[in-house]
Amino acid sequence: PHAPAVDRAEARKFTEDFHRETGAAAALEDRWQEIARQIDTTGTYVHTGAELTWGARVAWRNSARCIGRLYWNSLVVRDRREVHGTDDIAAECFQHLRATWRGGRIRPTITVFAPDAPGRRGPRIWNEQLIRYAGYVHPDGTLAGDGRNTGITTYATELGWHGRGGRFDVLPLIVDSPHEGVRWYPLPSDAVREVAIGHPEIPEVADLGLRWHAVPAISNMRLEIGGISYGAAPFNGWYLETEIGARNLVDADRYNVLPLLAHLMGLDMSSERTLWRDRALVELNRAVLHSFDAAGATITDHHVESERFLRHLRREEDAGRVCPADWSWIVPPVSGGLTPVYHRYYDEADLRPAFVLDEDGAR
Amino acid sequence: PHAPAVDRAEARKFTEDFHRETGAAAALEDRWQEIARQIDTTGTYVHTGAELTWGARVAWRNSARCIGRLYWNSLVVRDRREVHGTDDIAAECFQHLRATWRGGRIRPTITVFAPDAPGRRGPRIWNEQLIRYAGYVHPDGTLAGDGRNTGITTYATELGWHGRGGRFDVLPLIVDSPHEGVRWYPLPSDAVREVAIGHPEIPEVADLGLRWHAVPAISNMRLEIGGISYGAAPFNGWYLETEIGARNLVDADRYNVLPLLAHLMGLDMSSERTLWRDRALVELNRAVLHSFDAAGATITDHHVESERFLRHLRREEDAGRVCPADWSWIVPPVSGGLTPVYHRYYDEADLRPAFVLDEDGAR
Ligand code: HEM
Ligand code: HEM
């Protein structure tokens, strides 16, 4: 449970990279003396505000699975390393959600809480994202809500939360701190912006009662900078429409809405060969884009985002840097072959700083 | 230009695998004595008919990029190692195309010509596939035909072929043999089955004048079995609809038909965000499936083929074998996320026997 002492080589590498890239090269050896002394004395060291900000931004830049990295250098970093109590951590997470929203003009943001240290682990957030919908398995085996979240729903229930058994119940935030243990907090409604899904031409789509939260804020990845591990560092960008329109609402073990939608569209579902799934998929993605646009909530589409990613790649190359990318995550799950990101291979280097998932799942 | 002597370790490994898998284990050492003696004397050895058949089938089984491997064990192997003259090689290729057709019930088939040997290279076919459409770059920079094939079109023209400058002119077969050099042969019309593309509900699609050949027969990959390299070994299966409907007719540097189709469908093309490309893509794939079905020509769709591939994977696992697969080639370019092959990772072993491309291109 206790973190080991910081790896000096990682700390050194980070400090060198930081000073070189940010142009503070002259100050490198002074700063390194300080860091080395802190590591010798305490087994760890404390990042300056500038190091933390740059480290978090570069962790985003190094995220090989992320197509949205063009704006890595404008990530807003909220330094909350001094916040320790679970009440305060939850309150800061909710404040993060309010601050990133900006009336719909979502701004990529990260809130960094205290890191792990030798003899004292930092806080954790057990939710995969700050906002997620509950998934209930009924005694007869049927599912209500998001099948991806049945585990955490059971856990929240064991902690004392009472879900309403609906399709889109926002789960409570579950925060774990070394002093107070695990506590849960219902999300205040002004922190949870949601978009009801309708279709630009098929009014009946609104009757399906579909909705999704506007802000995707991943909260279960560790942020690793210079040998220091921040276990609670929720971050968000804005949605790419396929995440909602091709995975969250579509995967057979999640909302599985394509059969409903295809039925409503009057498609011939007698065989897969009629491509009814593919037709419904495109219309669902149109509905997601249309609904977010109508609600004034930032969202991007897979065509524009693929172009932006290639622009990012070129910029990184021009800066003399390797840009790692994971083909199977970068190529969107809708019309992959139509996007320019499909038609090339990528470097797969594993760089630091980085966001890491303790258990690496399949897609 | 001359092949080196056969690698004994590769020959041994193949011979062991063949005897173990085909149940002829008892005869292994006798056969190996024979092979070793042939290699000592001639620098190479001659596969038996059974070895050649098994080797070609396993080369298919080992093709990590091929989603269609469920039927690997029924590949028809035409042993034409004794055919040497370019006239006869061309005639055998045409006979291959006629034989695989079977009135539309296409049968996976390979024709194997003489291998390379020390001091004597085998024949080559310079076309990527036995049937391909010419691509002409006009003096003003515009393209007619298939942009993928402009290089070989220029080459054929230099050899004396006169293309008609059309959109779907079948290229001549270009055969290269050590004694006769490079010669070209127009394809006889009864060897080239083509399907005109129409749409089940939009009659105007037929007016676009699109067509495609029914048999995809790759002719530029070397077949490597037990250290022996067959440089001319054209093989075919049947089409997966996305190859035609999402790449050949769609890639911007090939037929680029989506704008035409979208226009004809009356889609709003004012922005990528209307997903007009995605909508036209699905309809083009429907048109391809519909047209092949109407013509009675075997074709598969990406939903069925993904299921079949996972069946193949399970069978291979049950047989205790590794099944290598390349995610980025297996996942179809249309609605990737809807297919079960998307939601897992694969083994990436590079096994022998194998089909190899002398230059490995990007997708
Ligand atoms: C600004 C808009 C952004 C867009 C459009 C975007 C898009 C995406 C998409 C589509 C994925 C794949 C998600 C999936 O398939 O499950 C992804 C993954 C990822 N993104 Fe971004 N992203 C954005 C911002 C950010 C930010 C601000 C960060 C961190 C500071 C970030 C870090 C990551 C990481 C670490 C992953 C991999 C997650 C995992 O392994 O599960 N992204 N992104
Ligand atoms: C029976 C029906 C078959 C289907 C539906 C099928 C399907 C496919 C598809 C969709 C691809 C990817 C093509 C691309 O994206 O360019 C592929 C590649 C490949 N297939 Fe198959 N295939 C079949 C039969 C065969 C046969 C009979 C062989 C060999 C005996 C074979 C060997 C290969 C190889 C070597 C590749 C990789 C080609 C390259 O690297 O460019 N396939 N197949």
Side-chain angles (χ1 to χ4, degrees), chain B residues 33-87:
Chain B
Q33 288 310 319
E34 205 168 80
I35 290 173
R37 213 173 317 115
Q38 286 185 34
I39 296 178
D40 287 345
T41 323
T42 66
T44 187
Y45 67 106
V46 180
H47 287 131
T48 64
E51 286 167 351
L52 184 70
T53 295
W54 186 80
R57 289 175 174 170
V58 175
W60 182 11
R61 189 177 82 194
N62 289 340
S63 297
R65 294 171 164 186
C66 180
I67 194 174
R69 286 177 274 167
L70 182 61
Y71 307 119
W72 67 271
N73 205 17
S74 60
L75 178 68
V76 174
V77 181
R78 301 173 74 237
D79 178 359
R80 295 296 183 273
R81 288 176 288 176
E82 81 290 356
V83 174
H84 286 284
T86 53
D87 288 5

Side-chain angles (χ1 to χ4, degrees), chain A residues 31-42:
Chain A
R31 175 63 180 138
W32 176 247
Q33 290 309 320
E34 206 168 77
I35 290 174
R37 214 174 316 118
Q38 285 185 33
I39 296 177
D40 287 344
T41 323
T42 67

Side-chain angles (χ1 to χ4, degrees), chain A residues 56 59-60 63 65-69 71 75 108-110 218 221 235-240 242-243 247 300 305 329 355 357 360 363, chain B residues 342:
Chain A
W60 181 12
S63 296
R65 295 171 164 186
C66 181
I67 194 174
R69 286 176 277 167
Y71 306 120
L75 178 67
T109 302
I110 186 169
I218 295 183
M221 295 187 86
F235 60 82
N236 74 278
W238 48 75
Y239 264 115
L240 173 61
T242 59
E243 296 181 79
R247 304 295 315 271
T300 184
E305 209 54 30
W329 282 70
F355 292 104
L357 209 57
D360 248 335
R363 302 216 74 233
Chain B
Y342 185 92

Side-chain angles (χ1 to χ4, degrees), chain B residues 60 63 65-66 108 221 235-238 240 243 329 355 363:
Chain B
W60 182 11
S63 297
R65 294 171 164 186
C66 180
M221 295 185 87
F235 59 83
N236 75 278
W238 47 78
L240 172 61
E243 296 182 79
W329 282 70
F355 294 103
R363 301 213 77 233

